[in-house]
Amino acid sequence: MVKSSTVLQHPMTTAGEGTLVWIGPTRGTTVEQAFEYCVDHAAQVAVRKSLEHWLQTPAERVRWLVVVKPSRNPAPQALIKWMEQSQSVRSACLVGPECEGELRTGSPWPYFENIAWHRWNQTLPSWFQSDTRNPQDHSVHDIQNAVNSKRRLTIGIVATRRENIDALMDSLATRLHTPLWIPSIENPTVHNLDAFIWDDSAMSCATDHEWSTRLQLAQRIMRPEPNHARPRANWIEHVWMPSFPRPHEWENARRGGVGAMISKPFTSCALNDWLNAIDINQPTADVSISLA
């Protein structure tokens, strides 16, 4: 467990100088992956257990500020005053499931951006990109990077209807990957797949046992792992794409073996981050398709 006032330093980081302040819990289904990502990418992370704790013991050289917001509450005036004097700090509230209604009907705290707990990987990665890059060019830049990559993945998309995944298939094809629609995992007609995307039309509110069973069926048609390859970590090849996930649903998916979640509507950045996380030591045999 990370102590409330811990300062974590990352020895090798791609982020610029400065400190990321994380205010609130660091463990739990709705926050731990976002927190671990920040620790991996920020040069330094200062953890505070509450806003009061932060205002009493501020950090130095603050560049980013993340406030875990589990319930509806107004921004303290002391925080607003601090933000008025620190407008170069990029700040966001990680909104928990108890106050997600604010994303539709409310407004963010002054100087803060609201991020739904399940969409952290659609926003936070952009915080650690080069400051010289135009945010409007992210999509074009990311697609060009993917096109220039030597890896070409064959990705099965499990969905009950093809119309649900047309945009996703187009996005993967633009990156020169091969997307294949799989309407039923019980009777697949493809083999040697590198990864799976599970649309919530096929897998919505499932137990961890149901997820584990489905992933075991999928594993039969995954591309064989070569002897020299590194072990696959946490089955990162499987990603779940839900529209409005609940914490217990995501926890069941993780326990069942799913490595990542990208909630809809997905962004180019989140999709590319997942694709780049897939083990690069994949065998290069062509996909085989059965016509039977």
Side-chain angles (χ1 to χ4, degrees), residues 204-272:
S204 54
C205 187
T207 66
D208 54 353
H209 177 72
E210 290 170 330
W211 271 112
S212 179
T213 300
R214 291 293 183 93
L215 266 59
Q216 288 177 23
L217 290 173
Q219 202 71 13
R220 298 177 309 164
I221 57 176
M222 296 274 300
R223 194 183 300 280
E225 189 174 11
N227 294 332
H228 67 275
R230 292 172 292 161
R232 290 179 176 135
N234 300 323
W235 283 21
I236 193 68
E237 293 89 347
H238 294 274
V239 65
W240 182 38
M241 280 197 170
S243 298
F244 193 71
R246 310 315 301 152
H248 73 276
E249 295 172 350
W250 171 224
E251 186 63 24
N252 286 342
R254 293 176 66 185
R255 289 177 178 174
V258 177
M261 172 175 63
I262 303 176
S263 59
K264 301 175 185 176
F266 69 88
T267 64
S268 175
C269 178
L271 184 62
N272 282 326

Side-chain angles (χ1 to χ4, degrees), residues 2 90 167 169 228 237:
V2 178
R90 187 162 185 180
M169 294 188 74
H228 67 275
E237 293 89 347

Side-chain angles (χ1 to χ4, degrees), residues 97-163:
E98 298 302 320
C99 57
E100 282 183 334
E102 288 191 358
L103 298 174
R104 298 184 297 272
T105 61
S107 58
W109 288 354
Y111 309 106
F112 280 80
E113 175 184 5
N114 275 344
I115 305 173
W117 68 270
H118 52 84
R119 295 187 64 80
W120 69 267
N121 56 355
Q122 315 253 25
T123 302
L124 293 184
S126 67
W127 287 22
F128 305 104
Q129 292 165 352
S130 171
D131 290 338
T132 60
R133 186 159 139 198
N134 185 339
Q136 311 240 338
D137 294 337
H138 286 179
S139 178
V140 174
H141 180 89
D142 291 339
I143 290 176
Q144 190 59 50
N145 275 350
V147 169
N148 291 338
S149 171
K150 294 181 180 179
R151 291 182 296 132
R152 299 292 181 264
L153 303 174
T154 302
I155 301 172
I157 307 177
V158 187
T160 56
R161 299 174 59 191
R162 170 63 186 265
E163 306 91 274

